[in-house]
Amino acid sequence: MSDEATRLIAAAREAARNAHAPYSHFAVGAAVLLSDGSVVTGANVENASYGLSLCAETVAIASVSASGRLRDVVAIGVIGGMMDADGAATGSEPVRPCGRCRQVINEAAQMSRRDVAVYCGGAHGDTIARYTLSALLPDAFGPSDLGID
Ligand code: THU
């Protein structure tokens, strides 16, 4: 797998250490690569009102947007796994973004005019699955449907 993939999965694993997931005990980390080479990360933030929980990818993309760089998104790495007794993510099976996160990533993809690469890994191991956002969310509804480019 590419250096880009390896770098983003490593950053996502680091981010997952900060997951707030006391309800599901499933830690997720996400790392977004921007066109200047910088990486912005996020981790899932669960809430006592379960439905208000935020996914790692959404947290990362929101952080990118908050710094005014939604148009600079190139790729995203995602990892996740059940937490052990010490709170560390476990497992090597790649985790793919949920449906809502695919839509959130699509906002960045369309604003940046890139078919964003999505690298999916587990908490451990060398297996990284590579997708494009358009493969994960074909024929997406997005900004252009509302006249935004
Ligand atoms: N989760 C993510 O952070 N990203 C995904 O794409 C799938 C699910 C989180 C939400 C929740 O905190 C936990 O994983 C279990 O669903």
Side-chain angles (χ1 to χ4, degrees):
M1 194 53 77
S2 66
D3 288 351
E4 178 177 285
T6 305
R7 180 182 179 211
L8 291 178
I9 291 299
R13 285 174 174 164
E14 185 64 29
R17 291 158 55 93
N18 292 323
H20 175 67
Y23 310 107
S24 72
H25 306 286
F26 192 83
V28 183
V32 178
L33 177 66
L34 302 177
S35 53
D36 66 357
S38 60
V39 171
V40 176
T41 61
N44 52 333
V45 185
E46 296 187 348
N47 190 283
S49 180
Y50 291 3
L52 299 183
S53 296
L54 300 173
C55 288
E57 303 92 312
T58 294
V59 170
I61 294 289
S63 182
V64 168
S65 184
S67 62
R69 295 183 288 177
L70 205 53
R71 293 178 188 271
D72 301 333
V73 172
V74 173
I76 182 168
V78 182
I79 73 95
M82 293 303 299
M83 295 158 69
D84 65 18
D86 296 323
T90 63
S92 56
E93 180 64 25
V95 167
R96 285 90 182 170
C98 76
R100 180 174 185 265
C101 286
R102 295 178 193 202
Q103 185 68 33
V104 169
I105 297 166
N106 182 67
E107 189 75 14
Q110 288 201 12
M111 296 308 291
S112 70
R113 301 179 193 278
R114 294 183 181 92
D115 193 4
V116 168
V118 182
Y119 301 108
C120 302
H124 301 282
D126 296 330
T127 304
I128 302 175
R130 183 190 190 281
Y131 302 91
T132 58
L133 195 272
S134 66
L136 294 176
L137 191 69
D139 303 323
F141 176 84
S144 61
D145 291 295
L146 297 177
I148 304 298
D149 63 4

